Structures are given as C-alpha cells and as structure tokens.
C-alpha cells in the first residue's frame, strides 16, 4: 500500500506519553498509524517567537512524527482566532458566538499555507494524504497549488451544520468551497454529510448525480460517512483491570457505598455542562430519596483558556457546582465533585465501570467518544446506563442509551432517575444492544474503511461521463490563496 501522510493540528507522539490529554481525534489517528506505515504531521504544541520556529522529525516504531512550531501571531490568529473563535462555534451551531476578523482569517490561511509548504518537502507522488479537522480545511487547495495531484482525503471530527448556518460565515463562498479540492470528505453522521451536500449543491452549484459525488475542476469529490468508533477490546480490558487499580479503589471507597454518576468533558460551551449540573440538581429536588445516596463526578480539563468564552465558561461551571453543593450538600456529602484535571483514559475506564450512570449531554457534538467508552467499560452482567444527548453523533449508534434533549432540564433529571432505578434485565438488554453496534464499528477498521474509499474515490468520475465540461461552474474560492508566512494578505 502507498505511504500514508496524516495531517492534523494536534499530533500525539506515543513515546512522549501524550495519552493523558489525547482527545477523540488523536485516539483515532493513533489507531490508524498502528496499522499503516507513514508519517503524522502537525503542530508541535509549542508557541515561539517569530523567526524561531523549527520543524522536528521523530521516528517511533517505524512511524515518523513531524511537528512544527507556531509563532505567537500564528497561535493567536490561526488557533485561538479563526479556528476556535469562528469555525468552532459555527460548526457547533453557535453563530451567535463567532467573532470574525479578516486578520484572523489571513493568519489561518497563512498557517495552512505554511503546513502545505512543509508537507511539500516530504510528499511523494504515490503518497495518500489524510487531513483532519476544521483547522485544515484549506490545506488540499494549498497543496494542489503546489502541483500535488495525490489522493487527498479529509475527515471532519466536528458536526457540520445546515447551509443556513454555514452561510453566516463572512465570505463563506470563498472559504468552505476550498473543501472541494479534496477527493474524499468523511463525516461523523448522515446529517453532517447531507448538510454539506446541500451546501455544495445550493450555494456552490456543483453538479452532482446523487448528492454524494460531485464534480469540481475535472475531478470528482466524494462525500461519505465514517463514524469514529472505539477499540472495544482494549478499552473493555482497561476497564476490567482499571476497576481494581489503587486509583479506582480509592475513588470508590471515598463514595462510602453511594452510587456514582460520571461526566467527562473538555471544558467547552458545546458540552452543556451547566445545564447538566442543573439537571442533577433537579433530580435531587424531584427525587429527594437520592439525596446523600448519589454523587455526581464531573471531570473537566480546562481547554483553550485564552479565549473569552472559555474563561467565562470556567467561572460559570465552577459557580454552578459551588451553588448546588452549598444548597444541597451535607457535612458528610458533596453532591457534585467537580475536577479540572486530566486523567489517562485507562484510569477513566475503571471509573466508568464503577459509575451507575454516564451523563453525556452535549448541546452539539461531532461524535463523543466518552459516550461509547462508557458503554464499552461496563460489566455486561451488571451494566450502568448511559444518558446521552440526542445531539451527539454517538446517539446514532448507542441504541441502548436513554436519549435526551439536553435543553430540557426536567427531562434529563427524569432520565437520570430512570437510569438509577432501571432493573437489571433492562440494563443488560440495553447494554447488549449498544455493544452490538459498537463492535460492528470498531476503530481498528475505521482507518481502513476511509483509506479504501479514498483509493477508489476518482472511479466515480464515470458518473459524469456525459456532462459537458463547459457547463461546470467556477467557484469563488478557486483562486490562489496567496499567503506567504511572513506576509499578511487578505483573501481579496
Ligand atoms: O475534535 C475536535 C478537536 O478540536 C480536535 O481537533 C482536537 O484534538 C480536540 O478537539 C481538542 O481541542 P484542542 O486541540 O483545541 O485542545
């Protein structure tokens, strides 16, 4: 098989013990590189002064990890700015939070162009390139402009909202269509995929026969769905072992026989943490028999802490936990344990198994691997119950979960009461149903499925055999992105 070049903003290097902070994207990509030889390129995680950026290559188990630094300016404009203050809220249906500036867009394009320049130094004609997530939407275009005709795939780990929301991005018509330079775009859910298909058809007027294969610049663009899964075998083993670890025993002992509800999320407004705490409070009010009999553990590592919305979230979540504990707590019972720490996934696995209920209620989420990992971690003979937002991508596969609308706080409280009292037979039935689906979509096959589809992506060109090339539209974004790293250019 051809060499694989994976590109993403974050790179997780096994030898550095990056497991601890790894999010869903890094976990998934590590599995891909376990199976396929190649290189993983991205940001080193370091921010340095202008002129001091270096690119470093590390070899681990026959895989190359190539990382490059960002300057202060890059970090502000590309990462904190356009990626996380504009694209992240828009992709999570929160256009009200997007803070667009031309300066950030220019910085975003500059870093994408810089990544393309670095990849240009190592790419060979047969390499398959697989780019990940919203930080790198324009990367294929920047590579094509350097003459690379390689197969290039893209996978979006976040949701993709309807065209009505995408068009709220100023100059969206110059930005999102850059995705058409990929050969294959993968999404987490059917909804995300259909939303983008409709955007391409209605806003970009790209010809398509089936709303899955489009024609652009004489190439075909394929859209498809590849929900990210989990390594069911490995995670199940971690949970079994983890429940006996000193850490899990300490946590369990500290509960003094009470039931535990668990939530684990990066601190982010898309995760619905405040409403979730309020739902737990409603449970204590509506079902007072649970007072002093259940503890809710919310583990929430801080994230993107230079961005205003995240600083405000941090204060709001702490204040909400403090208020609820002050109002309902007892001298010997703290209802909510709120912890801003990162734990290794193997340690979390043991805690998931101890928790009677998993509470995963994002307002919008691409997939949410915590939901899947909670199910996989359960003891099949006495499983806990997952309360899951219908707006998480995982809802399509976690058949046995109690699905809730996270905006309906009373309904989430009722779902929690139901989860805590569910009879064993029903818990087992629901757990088995979810496990069947999760096993059939194991992460170990995810990369293969995408790469096989990427390898044959252009065979779909035959669909357009009778379409005159002159009838094809030229998109606004189909112009060079001129953004030298040192310079500062706008899109116009
Ligand atoms: O899946 C969304 C995502 O942005 C990933 O790209 C990233 O690895 C993860 O969330 C964590 O976010 P950040 O890299 O901004 O800490």
């Amino acid at each position: 098989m051809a060499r694989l070049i994976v590109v993403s903003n974050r790179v997780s290097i096994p030898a550095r013990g990056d497991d601890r902070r790894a999010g869903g994207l890094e976990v998934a990509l590590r599995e891909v590189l376990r199976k396929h030889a190649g290189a993983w390129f991205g940001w080193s995680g370091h921010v340095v002064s202008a002129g001091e950026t270096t690119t470093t290559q590390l070899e681990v188990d026959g895989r190359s990890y190539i990382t490059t630094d960002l300057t202060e300016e890059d970090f502000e404009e590309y990462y904190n700015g356009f990626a996380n203050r504009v694209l992240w809220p828009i992709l999570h249906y929160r256009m009200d939070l997007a803070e667009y500036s031309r300066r950030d867009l220019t910085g975003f394009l500059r870093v994408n162009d810089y990544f393309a320049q670095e990849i240009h130094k190592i790419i060979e004609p047969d390499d398959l390139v697989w780019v990940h997530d919203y930080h790198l939407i324009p990367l294929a275009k920047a590579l094509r402009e350097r003459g690379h005709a390689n197969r290039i795939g893209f996978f979006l780990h976040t949701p993709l909202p309807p065209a009505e929301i995408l068009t709220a991005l100023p100059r969206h018509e110059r930005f999102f269509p850059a995705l058409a330079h990929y050969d294959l775009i993968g999404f987490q859910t059917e909804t995300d995929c259909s939303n983008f298909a409709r955007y391409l058809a209605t806003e970009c007027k790209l010809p398509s026969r089936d709303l899955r294969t489009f024609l652009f610049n004489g190439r075909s663009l394929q859209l498809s769905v590849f929900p990210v899964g989990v390594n069911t075998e490995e995670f199940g083993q971690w949970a079994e072992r983890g429940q006996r670890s000193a850490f899990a025993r300490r946590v369990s002992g500290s509960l003094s026989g009470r039931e535990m509800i668990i939530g684990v999320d990066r601190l982010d407004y898309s995760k619905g943490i405040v409403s979730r705490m309020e739902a737990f409070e409603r449970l204590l009010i509506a079902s007072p028999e649970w007072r002093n009999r259940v503890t809710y553990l919310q583990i929430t590592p801080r994230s993107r802490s230079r961005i205003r919305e995240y600083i405000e979230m941090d204060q709001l979540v702490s204040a909400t936990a403090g208020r609820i504990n002050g109002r309902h707590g007892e001298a010997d019972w703290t209802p909510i344990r709120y912890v801003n720490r990162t734990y290794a996934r193997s340690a979390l696995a043991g805690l998931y198994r101890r928790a009677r209920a998993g509470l995963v209620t994002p307002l919008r989420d691409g997939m949410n691997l915590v939901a899947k990992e909670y199910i996989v971690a359960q003891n099949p003979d006495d499983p806990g119950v997952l309360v899951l937002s219908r707006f998480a991508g995982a809802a399509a596969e976690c058949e046995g979960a109690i699905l809730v609308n996270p905006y309906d706080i009373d309904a989430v409280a009722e779902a929690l009461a139901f989860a805590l009292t569910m009879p064993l037979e029903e818990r087992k039935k629901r757990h088995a149903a979810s496990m069947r689906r999760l096993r059939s979509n194991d992460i170990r096959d995810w990369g293969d499925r995408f790469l096989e589809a990427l390898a044959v992506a252009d065979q779909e060109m035959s669909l357009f055999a009778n379409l005159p090339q002159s009838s094809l539209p030229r998109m606004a974004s189909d112009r060079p992105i001129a953004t030298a790293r040192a310079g500062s250019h706008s899109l116009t």
Side-chain angles (χ1 to χ4, degrees), residues 423-460:
L424 177 62
E425 275 322 301
E426 179 160 0
R427 281 190 275 130
K428 280 164 75 171
K429 214 168 70 202
R430 285 172 176 262
H431 178 254
S434 294
M435 280 305 290
R436 263 195 305 278
R437 278 297 288 276
L438 297 184
R439 280 202 194 95
S440 70
N441 181 32
D442 197 284
I443 188 66
R444 285 165 292 184
D445 306 323
W446 177 74
D448 292 345
R449 268 188 234 137
F450 186 94
L451 293 171
E452 277 158 23
L454 179 60
V456 298
D458 62 354
Q459 289 174 9
E460 303 299 333

Side-chain angles (χ1 to χ4, degrees), residues 5 22 27 35 58 61 88 127 162 168 183 217 276 329 344 360 364-365 378 399 404 417 439 492:
I5 300 181
V27 172
K35 277 181 122 173
L58 200 72
D61 297 332
W88 180 268
D127 289 343
D183 296 291
N217 262 2
R276 191 186 306 177
V360 182
R364 195 61 66 171
D365 214 336
Q378 297 309 303
E399 286 177 7
V404 291
R439 280 202 194 95
T492 47

Side-chain angles (χ1 to χ4, degrees), residues 172-393:
H172 70 92
E173 70 284 2
R174 306 284 300 277
F175 183 78
F176 289 118
L179 281 164
H181 288 269
Y182 289 94
D183 296 291
L184 169 67
I185 303 180
F187 297 91
Q188 298 273 28
T189 67
E190 282 297 339
T191 306
D192 302 326
C193 188
S194 308
N195 284 343
F196 193 59
R198 195 163 69 81
Y199 176 85
L200 286 179
T202 58
E203 294 294 327
C204 311
K205 312 272 185 270
L206 280 198
S208 166
R209 291 273 163 90
D210 54 1
L211 285 179
R212 283 298 175 271
T213 309
F214 291 82
L215 185 60
F216 171 64
N217 262 2
R219 305 178 69 104
S220 81
L221 162 66
Q222 190 79 28
L223 308 187
S224 200
V225 180
F226 304 88
V228 173
V230 288
N231 185 329
T232 48
E233 209 178 290
E234 181 180 71
F235 204 83
Q237 286 166 3
W238 283 355
E240 234 186 300
R241 275 204 303 273
Q243 67 178 339
R244 291 190 292 273
S245 71
F247 170 64
R249 285 215 305 266
R250 244 185 6 257
V251 175
S252 198
S254 72
L255 295 169
S256 309
R258 295 184 187 93
E259 295 292 7
M260 176 165 76
I261 297 171
I262 195 165
V264 178
D265 311 78
R266 208 167 40 74
L267 186 68
D268 195 293
Y269 48 80
S270 65
K271 303 291 183 183
I273 302 170
V274 170
S275 323
R276 191 186 306 177
M277 287 180 170
E278 287 169 354
F280 177 69
E281 180 182 29
R282 272 320 142 87
L283 168 80
L284 300 179
I285 295 169
S287 311
E289 67 276 18
W290 283 108
R291 297 176 65 90
N292 215 336
R293 282 185 51 221
V294 63
T295 296
Y296 163 28
L297 171 61
Q298 176 64 46
I299 296 176
T300 302
R302 290 201 168 87
S303 157
R304 305 177 189 169
S305 30
R306 298 231 308 229
I307 300 175
R308 185 170 50 85
E309 279 76 18
Y310 289 77
I311 298 168
E312 288 171 5
M313 263 299 294
D314 197 354
Q315 290 162 354
L316 186 59
V317 177
S318 301
T320 307
R323 181 186 64 71
I324 295 172
N325 284 336
R327 181 167 171 205
H328 301 279
E330 307 278 352
D332 65 343
W333 172 58
T334 306
I336 301 180
R337 292 185 188 180
Y338 175 54
V339 182
N340 292 127
R341 281 193 50 179
T342 307
Y343 292 97
R345 287 170 59 244
S346 50
L348 290 175
L351 296 187
Y352 292 156
R353 198 169 172 107
R354 168 65 176 79
R356 174 54 69 219
L359 192 49
V360 182
T361 53
L363 306 177
R364 195 61 66 171
D365 214 336
M367 176 50 62
N368 199 303
L369 289 188
V370 170
K372 293 184 169 183
E373 289 177 347
Y374 175 79
I375 290 168
V376 172
Q378 297 309 303
N379 172 0
D381 296 326
D382 184 18
V385 180
L386 177 65
V387 176
L388 176 61
S389 163
R390 56 174 297 176
F391 302 127

Side-chain angles (χ1 to χ4, degrees), residues 87-128:
L87 289 179
W88 180 268
I90 287 181
L91 293 171
H92 287 82
Y93 295 61
R94 292 297 305 270
M95 57 225 241
D96 57 313
L97 295 182
E99 294 172 55
Y100 173 84
S101 82
R102 283 191 183 188
R103 185 168 153 257
D104 288 345
L105 173 58
T106 302
F108 183 84
L109 296 175
R110 182 181 66 241
V111 171
N112 270 267
D113 202 57
Y114 170 62
F115 274 27
Q117 176 192 311
E118 293 299 292
I119 294 165
H120 177 71
K121 294 177 188 163
I122 55 158
I123 194 169
E124 286 168 20
D126 285 345
D127 289 343
L128 281 180

Side-chain angles (χ1 to χ4, degrees), residues 9-10 21 25-26 79 84 88 133-135 157-158 266 304:
N9 178 57
R10 298 267 184 192
R21 65 154 306 282
L25 176 146
E26 291 134 289
Y79 177 78
N84 286 322
W88 180 268
D133 238 358
Y134 57 99
H135 313 84
H157 292 255
T158 68
R266 208 167 40 74
R304 305 177 189 169

